[in-house]
Amino acid sequence: MTRAALIRTAALGAAALLSVVGGWIFLGFSAKGGVSPIDVLRTVLVGLSGFWLVWGGAAGIIGLFVPHRPPAFDERQVPRGLTAVLVPIYNEDPLVTFARVAAMNRSLRALGIHQRFHFAILSDTTALDVAAMEAVWFQHLVSEPDSDGRIFYRRREHNTGKKAGNVEDFVVSSGGAYDYMLILDADSLMEGATMGAMARRMDAEPRLGLLQTLPRIINARSFFGRAMQFSAAYLSPAFSRGAAVLQGNEGPYWGHNAIVRVAAFAANCGLPVLSGKPPYGGHILSHDYVEAALLARGGWHVHLDPFLGGSFEEGPENLVEYAKRDRRWCQGNLQHRRLMFAPKLRLWSRFVFLQGIMAYLASPLWLVLMGASILSAMLPERSFPRVPALFREGVLSLAVGVALLLVLPKVLILLRGMFDGQNRQFGGTLRAAGSVLLEIVFSTLLAPILLMLQSRAVMQVLLGLDGGWPATRRAENRLDLRDAFANSWWIVVIGAVTLAATILLAPGIAVWVAPAMLPAIFAPLLISLSSRVAPAGRTPWYFRTPPEQAPSAVILEHRRVITAWTTQGPLEPIIVLEPAQRAAIHA
């Protein structure tokens, strides 16, 4: 048995044991004089939900004990293989997106390794005005030094298969010319040194099919966005180190900021079109985990390297945009139930599919548990004792246990940061502790709202409603109270009705229901306030991250490119445009 398999077995065993113990304690408290069918249902729900809570925290705990191993490489060593850097775009701001490509190209040129990297902008843009501006700003891009024969642009007439289909089209038409593909998102940014290190890693490990980096979120401006940015920079590395240990050679693929061996991808990662209509049928939305599973099935290694820095992305700036993206992920993950029993998949790949499904099913399960608890509190006492009285007060222990599962990994990461130097990168231990505490409070307040949003997403999929693949509105920041209410009024109604019914019909447990329902009642206020941006020129003391305090070279270069291009203005495109597109440029 491999080291990863041993650690997986131990972690799964611990999660199962703790969930059983938690369920037994809950049963002892909940059985009011005896055990009813509702008590059994609630106990099963507690055990099932508790298992995934423990398992989710296990990666963070394991990651605390993984020593930091910064990659050692010569930044100027030229990779042997030829890499295509793919930038799929879909109705994005072309100025900002193409400026990222220019910044990365300049970073590669500074190291003298640019000739081993080509860029391919793969447009699935459907809006004619955006497509027209892509042609305009692409002219700036091909005016960059050493761009001839290295930077390409292609726009599909039909975006069949969305992003996965876009990449597949490139593999079919041009993949044979390259050894590796470095797949990015439109908001991805990467240091040239990181790109070179990834390519050299592929050169050195012939069985490595895919190498995934841990992207750090940058450029967040709202409270919500900066909370996500801090969490990704401060907390995610520990969880990623644990995930890398647990997953071993069958690691994750998150769809971007990863390098893939073209021959392995072409031979193994052709995705099926599922029978039937969306949301369960059609093209696979969450294609990345499927592609990782197919590579592992083909005998290729899939690795996550949490120590490889210089990999960045941007995140949503408000909860509404986050929920839109999460709705697509929910539909994609629930599609995986049709793939769990595909032939010859690794057992771990099947478990990862199940884990992704449960990440969303857990939310309605918690809501069912709350509803069953309210119903149980309304029932009369039963007079046939069957459980030890010792467990009657176990609810407090269970509540503390759940809180520990959610908070303990974060506290331990903070404590480790006092000794390994991480806190210094975040403004010192005092500021890091304040940011961690604020993140815990904020995530606790948002939890009931996210619970309902995910539950609605699950119900929509189960009812056969297709969420599609809406374009990301990256520049959207502030939401006023009216917009926030329009997107969350139903959460307010559910929260108010549930709390009022509990007070009237089961007042004994109102104190336990209120902490979950009050944030739901005030959801519009929380959504609106968290979308606010700090005044220009002022950086709040909380949620500060290293890229924010000392931006890396490629981040600064990206800003310089935007400023220079904006000052220079649009250039006449060299791409032949349709009349409607040309009219859009001069409108």
Side-chain angles (χ1 to χ4, degrees):
M1 184 178 290
T2 64
R3 173 173 173 264
L6 285 172
I7 297 175
R8 290 174 194 168
T9 303
L12 288 169
L17 178 61
L18 290 175
S19 63
V20 169
V21 171
W24 175 246
I25 293 175
F26 184 85
L27 178 64
F29 162 76
S30 63
K32 301 184 299 182
V35 179
S36 71
I38 292 181
D39 295 330
V40 175
L41 171 63
R42 291 196 299 157
T43 300
V44 171
L45 291 173
V46 166
L48 185 60
S49 302
F51 173 84
W52 293 107
L53 276 179
V54 176
W55 176 251
I61 300 296
I62 294 171
L64 289 169
F65 299 97
V66 177
H68 182 65
R69 295 190 301 271
F73 52 82
D74 179 2
E75 292 183 352
R76 295 184 179 274
Q77 180 184 346
V78 179
R80 295 193 305 272
L82 184 62
T83 300
V85 183
L86 307 188
V87 187
I89 58 176
Y90 176 55
N91 293 333
E92 303 281 349
D93 180 345
L95 166 61
V96 178
T97 303
F98 290 12
R100 292 191 185 98
V101 175
M104 288 185 282
N105 183 51
R106 292 181 183 186
S107 183
L108 290 168
R109 288 187 69 251
L111 295 172
I113 61 174
H114 56 287
Q115 293 297 341
R116 305 310 295 165
F117 292 87
H118 293 179
F119 289 87
I121 299 171
L122 310 178
S123 175
D124 262 351
T125 293
T126 55
L128 283 180
D129 56 337
V130 178
M133 295 311 297
E134 288 176 0
V136 167
W137 292 110
F138 180 69
Q139 180 59 35
H140 276 280
L141 193 53
V142 296
S143 299
E144 288 285 308
D146 295 316
S147 64
D148 290 347
R150 293 184 51 251
I151 300 179
F152 309 97
Y153 169 89
R154 182 268 287 147
R155 176 171 171 255
R156 293 199 299 173
E157 185 175 354
H158 302 289
N159 57 350
T160 305
K162 308 302 182 184
K163 179 181 176 181
N166 202 353
V167 173
E168 181 181 350
D169 280 0
F170 174 85
V171 172
V172 171
S173 62
S174 307
Y178 298 95
D179 298 289
Y180 317 125
M181 299 184 300
L182 205 168
I183 302 175
L184 304 177
D185 264 352
D187 61 357
S188 296
L189 191 63
M190 192 172 287
E191 289 284 356
T194 303
M195 301 165 77
M198 297 172 75
R200 286 189 291 272
R201 178 89 171 265
M202 300 297 282
D203 288 341
E205 301 180 30
R207 295 308 303 166
L208 183 58
L210 185 148
L211 178 63
Q212 174 70 60
T213 65
L214 174 62
R216 266 62 166 184
I217 297 176
I218 57 172
N219 298 331
R221 298 176 59 231
S222 69
F223 185 92
F224 179 88
R226 295 186 73 247
M228 286 189 62
Q229 179 175 272
F230 174 79
S231 180
Y234 189 83
L235 302 173
S236 291
F239 285 88
S240 297
R241 291 194 299 267
V245 171
L246 285 169
Q247 302 199 23
N249 292 329
E250 301 161 78
Y253 171 39
W254 297 325
H256 58 92
N257 292 52
I259 192 168
V260 184
R261 193 175 300 274
V262 174
F265 191 90
N268 294 277
C269 295
L271 296 178
V273 177
L274 301 178
S275 60
K277 297 180 179 180
Y280 284 123
H283 294 280
I284 297 172
L285 294 185
S286 295
H287 58 89
D288 39 16
Y289 275 83
V290 178
E291 288 159 349
L294 294 175
L295 284 171
R297 184 177 71 172
W300 294 94
H301 294 173
V302 179
H303 288 173
L304 165 64
D305 188 343
F307 302 107
L308 198 55
S311 177
F312 308 103
E313 64 173 335
E314 295 185 3
E317 292 280 16
N318 58 63
L319 185 58
V320 173
E321 284 301 306
Y322 176 90
K324 182 197 300 183
R325 184 182 69 175
D326 202 49
R327 169 64 176 84
R328 185 183 81 235
W329 289 352
C330 174
Q331 181 171 325
N333 281 21
L334 294 185
Q335 274 184 320
H336 291 169
R337 71 175 182 83
R338 299 188 60 184
L339 304 171
M340 281 183 60
F341 302 103
K344 298 182 181 179
L345 287 182
R346 301 286 183 89
L347 180 60
W348 179 253
S349 298
R350 301 183 197 277
F351 178 79
V352 169
F353 286 160
L354 176 62
Q355 178 180 262
I357 293 170
M358 289 306 303
Y360 289 95
L361 290 186
S363 291
L365 289 180
W366 279 110
L367 286 183
V368 172
L369 173 61
M370 181 175 294
S373 298
I374 295 173
L375 179 61
S376 176
M378 296 166 54
L379 298 178
E381 295 281 345
R382 296 177 293 282
S383 58
F384 44 99
R386 292 188 181 177
V387 293
L390 175 65
F391 290 133
R392 303 277 182 199
E393 306 301 324
V395 67
L396 182 59
S397 299
L398 184 63
V400 171
V402 171
L404 283 175
L405 290 173
L406 298 174
V407 174
L408 182 60
K410 300 179 182 181
V411 174
L412 292 177
I413 291 170
L414 175 65
L415 293 177
R416 170 172 164 156
M418 296 172 61
F419 300 98
D420 68 2
Q422 175 174 258
N423 290 352
R424 288 196 296 271
Q425 302 174 41
F426 291 82
T429 296
L430 187 60
R431 179 170 288 171
S435 296
V436 169
L437 178 61
L438 190 58
E439 192 277 337
I440 290 172
V441 172
F442 183 54
S443 60
T444 300
L445 290 174
L446 285 189
I449 303 173
L450 289 171
L451 193 78
M452 294 193 188
L453 287 169
Q454 289 188 342
S455 297
R456 181 182 68 169
V458 170
M459 291 305 300
Q460 288 174 337
V461 174
L462 294 179
L463 291 173
L465 301 178
D466 178 24
W469 193 307
T472 302
R473 301 168 68 183
R474 304 188 194 278
E476 293 296 311
N477 292 315
R478 176 73 185 272
L479 290 174
D480 59 30
L481 201 56
R482 178 181 298 179
D483 291 335
F485 182 79
N487 284 280
S488 62
W489 63 267
W490 58 276
I491 298 177
V492 176
V493 172
I494 292 174
V497 169
T498 301
L499 184 57
T502 304
I503 293 172
L504 290 174
L505 303 176
I509 66 166
V511 68
W512 300 103
V513 175
M517 292 300 107
L518 286 176
I521 293 172
F522 292 101
L525 187 61
L526 288 170
I527 293 172
S528 177
L529 290 177
S530 65
S531 72
R532 289 187 175 182
V533 176
R538 289 179 53 189
T539 301
W541 65 266
Y542 51 84
F543 296 151
R544 291 193 180 182
T545 61
E548 187 177 52
Q549 299 180 91
S552 72
V554 76
I555 296 175
L556 295 175
E557 190 63 41
H558 178 230
R559 295 171 185 172
R560 284 192 287 267
V561 172
I562 291 178
T563 300
W565 286 6
T566 303
T567 302
Q568 187 177 357
L571 301 178
E572 186 65 22
I574 58 175
I575 299 174
V576 177
L577 301 178
E578 301 171 9
Q581 290 177 303
R582 187 167 293 278
I585 295 176
H586 301 289

